[in-house]
Amino acid sequence: MDLKEINYLLRIQQHRSITKAAETLFISQPALSKFLKSVETQVGTPLFNRIGNQMVPTFVGRRYLSYAAEIAALQDDWNIERSDLLNEEIGLLSMTIPPLRSSSILPAVMPAFFSRYPQVKVSLTEESSMIKQHWLESSEIDFVICSDVQALPTQNNRLLGKEEIVLVVATDHPLAKGHHSRSKAPYPVIDPKLLGDQSFILNSSDQTTGKLACQLFEKNEITPQVLMRTRNTETAIRLAATGTCLAFAPETYVRNINFDKPPVLFSVGEEKIEINLYARYQSGRYLPAYAIYFLDLVEKYMAGEDLTRQVYAY
């Protein structure tokens, strides 16, 4: 395999079409078809099945493309490391991050990042909080930023910070007043036993916040009245702010939403419910200096540091 061959075949796999792949490669469709036929002749068997309008890898093709992707990833790693070694402060930072995380973190972090690395471009994929396994395995993504209660054994996990899952209550809700405060804690504490007869909008049970809510209910022997489930945490927060129901959410999500009438936030129980914010990337993957700097900034943001002092510092 040479890099040209690898690139051509991976494009066919990506687009499942010789015509579309040829367009992105800026070559003609007949030329790419001829190239594929030549490679298949060398290998001794078809690499793709032609099913309708789709090019679907055969079993041999899947194995061939698996090796091709590994070689392409190694080449990318070398190009990045070479750039670092030669002090070339140019590159592409690729990440996947949930939309609400993006809207809270990036406005605080990116001014300082671009001040330090003005020639680094950013490729941003905003996915829902249930990050797809595809992004954790993609060679095109430097890292995924996501929330979880624990590290993932199959990935490198850099802990960027912790935050509390809070109960979101409308200001005119009967539960909004009369609860004690924990020493030096930002939010008053509500007894989870008071939640038994309340209505909720919850995240899906496969999302981290949804899982933690289910664990809280189970621990306190509560059968909640669930009006609705949603994968969109902002929807849950805004509905709770209207007084329609209660909701659970990461505290930074709530702080970064503009409300006509801001809700009241509570810690639930004497022990805070916390989640970890991780940057996850493949084991053995090389992260360039600018990617590490970005994660350093996110860690400082999560710790409450003022990042404006780092803008124009270089």
Side-chain angles (χ1 to χ4, degrees):
M1 298 181 191
D2 61 32
L3 291 176
K4 175 184 174 182
E5 176 181 322
I6 287 170
N7 185 36
Y8 281 14
L9 293 174
L10 290 176
R11 289 295 181 92
I12 296 172
Q13 179 190 33
Q14 178 185 358
H15 295 285
R16 298 206 163 204
S17 163
I18 288 182
T19 300
K20 290 181 180 178
E23 289 175 357
T24 65
L25 292 166
F26 302 102
I27 62 175
S28 69
Q29 184 269 335
L32 187 56
S33 294
K34 182 177 179 181
F35 164 81
L36 175 59
K37 185 65 177 177
S38 173
V39 174
E40 290 178 329
T41 299
Q42 293 175 28
V43 175
T45 188
L47 299 178
F48 291 89
N49 288 314
R50 283 73 169 173
I51 301 176
N53 294 325
Q54 299 228 327
M55 301 291 289
V56 180
T58 62
F59 176 75
V60 173
R62 290 199 300 272
R63 297 303 303 139
Y64 187 101
L65 291 163
S66 174
Y67 283 105
E70 289 183 24
I71 294 171
L74 287 171
Q75 179 66 31
D76 288 343
D77 283 351
W78 160 242
N79 288 336
I80 293 169
E81 186 170 0
R82 171 184 168 276
S83 179
D84 277 354
L85 292 171
L86 297 177
N87 294 316
E88 296 176 0
E89 298 192 345
I90 59 174
L92 176 66
L93 177 63
S94 300
M95 74 181 94
T96 299
I97 183 171
L100 273 177
R101 286 282 178 206
S102 175
S103 64
S104 62
I105 290 176
L106 298 190
V109 166
M110 297 316 295
F113 178 80
F114 285 130
S115 180
R116 173 64 181 84
Y117 288 103
Q119 297 188 74
V120 172
K121 306 299 182 184
V122 175
S123 175
L124 179 65
T125 303
E126 294 174 301
E127 283 280 350
S128 65
S129 55
M130 185 60 182
I131 298 293
K132 296 178 181 177
Q133 185 67 21
H134 163 74
W135 295 116
L136 293 173
E137 298 173 350
S138 173
S139 62
E140 299 175 4
I141 298 295
D142 289 318
F143 51 77
V144 168
I145 292 181
C146 58
S147 301
D148 207 340
V149 293
Q150 60 187 7
L152 194 64
T154 57
Q155 298 280 323
N156 284 328
N157 300 262
R158 174 168 171 177
L159 180 62
L160 301 174
K162 295 176 177 285
E163 68 175 322
E164 186 173 1
I165 299 295
V166 293
L167 181 70
V168 184
V169 182
T171 54
D172 54 0
H173 192 283
L175 288 179
K177 297 180 181 179
H179 304 284
H180 74 277
S181 296
R182 187 191 294 118
S183 176
K184 297 182 180 180
Y187 311 112
V189 179
I190 193 169
D191 185 344
K193 299 294 185 183
L194 297 176
L195 306 180
D197 59 351
Q198 300 298 318
S199 298
F200 289 86
I201 176 171
L202 299 177
N203 283 123
S204 299
S205 58
D206 60 351
Q207 293 175 270
T208 303
T209 303
K211 289 178 184 177
L212 291 173
C214 291
Q215 291 171 10
L216 174 73
F217 292 137
E218 184 177 348
K219 178 180 178 181
N220 291 278
E221 299 180 342
I222 295 172
T223 303
Q225 299 179 42
V226 182
L227 300 182
M228 186 171 74
R229 288 187 179 271
T230 177
R231 304 194 72 81
N232 189 323
T233 305
E234 183 173 357
T235 297
I237 294 168
R238 289 192 177 278
L239 267 174
T242 68
T244 304
C245 54
L246 305 180
F248 296 97
E251 55 185 322
T252 58
Y253 280 23
V254 187
R255 290 204 306 263
N256 286 280
I257 296 175
N258 293 319
F259 300 94
D260 293 330
K261 184 185 284 188
V264 181
L265 306 183
F266 290 96
S267 296
V268 183
E270 294 301 326
E271 293 186 12
K272 292 195 298 184
I273 304 173
E274 289 187 319
I275 56 171
N276 301 322
L277 185 66
Y278 291 109
R280 285 179 171 157
Y281 54 97
Q282 296 164 346
S283 179
R285 185 181 185 90
Y286 175 80
L287 288 185
Y290 52 79
I292 294 172
Y293 181 71
F294 174 86
L295 296 179
D296 290 343
L297 290 175
V298 175
E299 189 171 334
K300 290 176 181 179
Y301 165 80
M302 293 297 294
E305 292 189 32
D306 181 8
L307 299 181
T308 58
R309 293 175 298 174
Q310 299 199 225
V311 178
Y312 309 123
Y314 296 89

